[in-house]
Amino acid sequence: MARFLVRRVLQAVIVTVIVTVIVFALLHALPGGPARGVLGQQATPEQIAAFNRAQGLDQPIWTQYWHYLGRLVQGDLGESFTLNAPVSQLLANRLPKTLLLTMASTVVALLIALPLGVWQAARRNSVLDYTATALAIIVYSTPVFFLGLILIMVFAQAIPLFPAQAPQGDALGDILADPNALVLPVVTGAFATVAAFSRYMRSATLDNLAEDYARTARAKGTSERRVLVRHVVRNSLVPVVTMLGYYIPVMFGGSLVVESMFNYPGVGFLFWNAAQTSDFPVLLGVVLVIAIATVVGSMLADIAQALIDPRVRSVAV
Amino acid sequence: MSGSRPDQLAADDEPAPASGHTPGTVPRRRGTALRRFTRNRLAVAGLAVVAVLFLFSFVGPLIYDTDQVHTDLAAANLEPGDDGHPLGTDDVGYDVLGRLMVGGQTSLVIGLAAGALATVIGTAWGAVAGYLGGRVDAVMMRVVDAGIAIPALFLLLVASAITTPDVPMMILVMGLVSWLVPARLVRAEALSLKTRDYVLTLRAIGGSHRRAIVRHIVPNAVGTMMVNATFQVADAILLVAYVSFLGMGVQPPATDWGAMLSKGVSYAYSGAWWLILPAGVLIVLVVASFNFIGDGLRDMFEVRGKNR
């Protein structure tokens, strides 16, 4: 296990370094480089040269990358072009709100998906199981925004139960103070997760139903229901929940859409606004943070899987 | 959005032995590859839907001719059926039925081309990495890991902020952000193929690495590639829709099914269902169809159980 851990952590570090190279390259791929971005299209060549000298942009590219890494390690992601604030400060303000929204969506989704998956496995290959599977693929093929629009049409416009605007406010408390306005964004974000995790759960339950211990339990006269509830579900839950570690990029993608639809003041909305104003420090800062979260998430999931199932450790990383 | 697909992780769903009884039926003889595909009814239906949507998008405008370039504010916001517009008009006066046709062209062309491009890049990268193995493989696959860590949708919005998005640019960028998963799959295939006798023999009699990859590794990975390419197309069409919905896709007067929904929230408020449902339903239909076709191809090539 120690060897597995060392290799896996080392791998994550290498991948993170490659990610910083990609993001650094993107920053320099901008037409005219970062100088054009800050000074605007009207800047004269002299102004650009002066800016480049002041920012150290006239130095060799690897020196610049080294300085960039140095600033990253100190948590310095640069200054926003348009919002007049450090990117790290913007992220610190927005991330908790995005986490609140995605965690609420995920909890709601799992409460539906996990029982659904077990139920499908218990009724495997029946008409209901096939119907649920086809439905899951259709939900999976449905853009999050289309689901959101339907929900707005039905529950905000036709039957005005919930507002179609997410709670506003700078503090996390302001958002929690208006739970009614959270309903539509949370439900919209939950759909895709239900489709994905009911499939994982069904598959994990089926695998476990075929295991020797399940057969032993049946041979001892345990009822099928008890085998399922007492033995199989327990063993299936852990690997499925660790899958959440691999699911981080999908969650951020979903929150980008949900937040921009419902004007929810999180990281996704910040990113969307930055894309429209070409605010590159914000765009690339968000990309970097999400990429690192993804690398860490999949590393933790791999480690969790290895802890649960020793067979995983022997597989070369 | 790249991520693990739920429909594929659950690929190995052979029924677990049910307690008590064994099925008494004799296993049917396995049909030809084509029959394995046609036995999957959802896949056949998917193929039919895709064919119809192609006809609708490319042949439709020849029969149902509308102006999709010039706006006509005098004819804006008409309800379905008004003044010869079967699906009404949008807020700048475009006929919605005609707009669905030209929008479909953009969605389908970008989806297919980006899926093909991603498959080509991914196959080349994965075949070389898996065949060469060792350090080269390790370095090439860490690059893939890093790419996968950056969600495609975010990267696409950055690209759209750098340059003005048009169809060729979107195909290029989407191809460049979506080749990572096929690369992983083909690499896994290449790892096992390179130890086969026919590859070893080729090397022993002096055949080049290049020949081994082009003539043996890639052709033998074709089943995996085809199945994955179909899912890639589904993902690409969905991704185009997301980028366009967020207002960062092709710019007016060009459109696609996602862009038609970019003002969807205000349409929803005004109760203009005909500006939301048709475009949304077409996206779901085409994406689900490609996913079902991919499932059918997986049966056909018998690459069951392989996660992509």
Side-chain angles (χ1 to χ4, degrees):
Chain A
M1 188 67 201
R3 218 180 131 225
F4 172 85
L5 266 181
V6 171
R7 288 190 59 166
R8 191 59 191 80
V9 172
L10 195 68
Q11 189 194 335
V13 172
I14 293 171
V15 171
T16 307
V17 172
I18 301 178
V19 166
T20 61
V21 172
I22 295 176
V23 172
F24 178 75
L26 278 174
L27 196 58
H28 283 262
L30 308 181
R36 265 283 174 234
V38 175
L39 303 174
Q41 295 303 322
Q42 310 301 323
T44 62
E46 292 76 31
Q47 287 173 315
I48 290 178
F51 178 86
N52 284 348
R53 210 168 318 115
Q55 299 288 317
L57 292 168
D58 52 349
Q59 290 172 16
I61 195 85
W62 52 269
T63 317
Q64 289 186 45
Y65 174 69
W66 187 246
H67 288 157
Y68 169 76
L69 267 191
R71 288 195 299 273
L72 279 190
V73 172
Q74 293 165 26
D76 178 3
L77 292 167
E79 289 267 332
S80 160
F81 289 167
T82 53
L83 298 171
N84 203 15
V87 175
S88 52
Q89 190 186 317
L90 292 168
L91 275 167
N93 179 276
R94 302 297 191 97
L95 259 180
K97 293 169 196 161
T98 294
L99 287 180
L100 170 76
L101 184 66
T102 47
M103 275 163 64
S105 279
T106 310
V107 169
V108 170
L110 290 185
L111 286 177
I112 300 167
L114 300 181
L116 179 64
V118 175
W119 178 83
Q120 276 187 263
R123 282 165 185 69
R124 58 193 164 269
N125 302 334
S126 67
V127 175
L128 284 173
D129 175 31
Y130 285 135
T131 312
T133 300
L135 274 179
I137 295 180
I138 290 171
V139 170
Y140 184 80
S141 307
T142 306
V144 173
F145 58 80
F146 184 45
L147 286 168
L149 288 175
I150 293 177
L151 289 178
I152 292 179
M153 275 199 293
V154 176
F155 296 107
Q157 206 265 333
I159 320 161
L161 284 177
F162 306 106
Q165 165 108 323
Q168 303 296 308
D170 199 43
L172 207 54
D174 299 340
I175 288 165
L176 285 169
D178 193 2
N180 211 29
L182 272 175
V183 172
L184 289 185
V186 167
V187 172
T188 303
F191 267 101
T193 314
V194 172
F197 278 78
S198 66
R199 303 292 298 143
Y200 299 147
M201 192 63 193
R202 175 183 180 275
S203 155
T205 311
L206 280 180
D207 287 348
N208 274 296
L209 276 172
E211 290 280 343
D212 287 344
Y213 74 84
R215 198 185 315 162
T216 309
R218 286 190 201 104
K220 294 198 312 190
T222 316
S223 71
E224 189 65 33
R225 187 187 170 80
R226 199 177 158 86
V227 172
L228 196 66
V229 175
R230 292 298 292 262
H231 300 277
V232 168
V233 168
R234 275 192 190 183
N235 280 299
S236 313
L237 268 180
V238 186
V240 170
V241 172
T242 55
M243 298 277 320
L244 285 174
Y246 305 116
Y247 205 63
I248 289 174
V250 185
M251 287 182 187
F252 274 109
S255 71
L256 171 55
V257 177
V258 172
E259 290 180 9
S260 45
M261 265 187 96
F262 291 97
N263 291 337
Y264 182 89
V267 176
F269 194 48
L270 174 74
F271 186 86
W272 184 55
N273 282 328
Q276 288 176 329
T277 53
S278 298
D279 193 342
F280 289 104
V282 172
L283 288 176
L284 295 173
V286 172
V287 164
L288 189 69
V289 167
I290 293 175
I292 291 173
T294 306
V295 171
V296 173
S298 55
M299 179 186 77
L300 292 179
D302 278 353
I303 292 172
Q305 304 257 351
L307 282 173
I308 305 161
D309 186 348
R311 283 171 296 185
V312 176
R313 288 174 220 165
S314 56
V315 181
V317 211
Chain B
M1 269 173 270
S2 68
S4 33
R5 306 176 66 89
D7 44 321
Q8 278 157 54
L9 283 180
D12 274 321
D13 44 5
E14 289 304 310
S19 59
H21 80 102
T22 42
T25 49
V26 182
R28 274 230 315 272
R29 228 176 64 84
R30 191 170 273 156
T32 60
L34 190 63
R35 201 177 310 153
R36 282 200 300 276
F37 181 85
T38 52
R39 208 162 50 204
N40 187 330
R41 267 174 267 166
L42 283 172
V44 177
L47 208 55
V49 170
V50 168
V52 169
L53 288 176
F54 258 93
L55 284 177
F56 172 77
S57 303
F58 288 94
V59 182
L62 303 178
I63 301 162
Y64 183 76
D65 187 26
T66 51
D67 184 353
Q68 295 296 334
V69 178
H70 304 98
T71 57
D72 178 8
L73 292 177
N77 292 317
L78 294 179
E79 293 199 15
D82 277 5
D83 203 14
H85 298 286
L87 283 175
T89 58
D90 69 7
D91 57 343
V92 289
Y94 289 127
D95 176 81
V96 172
L97 183 60
R99 198 128 187 93
L100 287 170
M101 291 172 181
V102 296
Q105 295 177 4
T106 317
S107 292
L108 290 170
V109 164
I110 297 182
L112 285 173
L117 181 62
T119 306
V120 170
I121 302 175
T123 302
W125 189 276
V128 170
Y131 178 79
L132 293 179
R135 295 240 166 113
V136 180
D137 175 41
V139 171
M140 287 176 83
M141 294 324 283
R142 290 304 80 76
V143 172
V144 170
D145 290 345
I148 282 181
I150 306 176
L153 183 56
F154 289 80
L155 219 46
L156 274 167
L157 290 199
V158 174
S160 295
I162 295 176
T163 56
T164 316
D166 56 12
V167 172
M169 180 275 195
M170 285 190 74
I171 293 174
L172 187 68
V173 177
M174 299 237 301
L176 289 177
V177 299
S178 341
W179 57 274
L180 305 154
V181 175
R184 269 190 183 169
L185 283 179
V186 173
R187 179 233 176 206
E189 198 96 337
L191 274 181
S192 87
L193 286 172
K194 72 171 177 183
T195 59
R196 300 284 170 86
D197 287 340
Y198 51 81
V199 178
L200 297 177
T201 312
L202 172 81
R203 291 292 300 145
I205 61 175
S208 64
H209 288 304
R210 184 195 154 90
R211 189 176 168 86
I213 292 177
V214 174
R215 299 299 292 270
H216 293 290
I217 306 285
V218 171
N220 276 295
V222 82
T224 308
M225 282 160 52
M226 289 276 292
V227 173
N228 182 255
T230 316
F231 292 130
Q232 287 292 333
V233 173
D235 284 0
I237 293 176
L238 211 46
L239 207 49
V240 186
Y242 277 109
V243 176
S244 301
F245 170 76
L246 292 170
M248 306 291 288
V250 291
Q251 301 300 311
T255 193
D256 70 73
W257 290 334
M260 291 178 72
L261 293 177
S262 62
K263 282 179 255 171
V265 177
S266 50
Y267 295 156
Y269 268 125
S270 57
W273 57 269
W274 66 94
L275 296 178
I276 296 174
L277 292 182
V281 168
L282 288 186
I283 297 174
V284 178
L285 266 181
V286 71
V287 175
S289 294
F290 274 107
N291 278 327
F292 287 134
I293 295 171
D295 273 344
L297 287 175
R298 191 163 50 196
D299 296 346
M300 184 167 156
F301 289 108
E302 300 188 301
V303 284
R304 261 191 176 275
K306 275 181 194 132
N307 300 337
R308 79 168 201 184

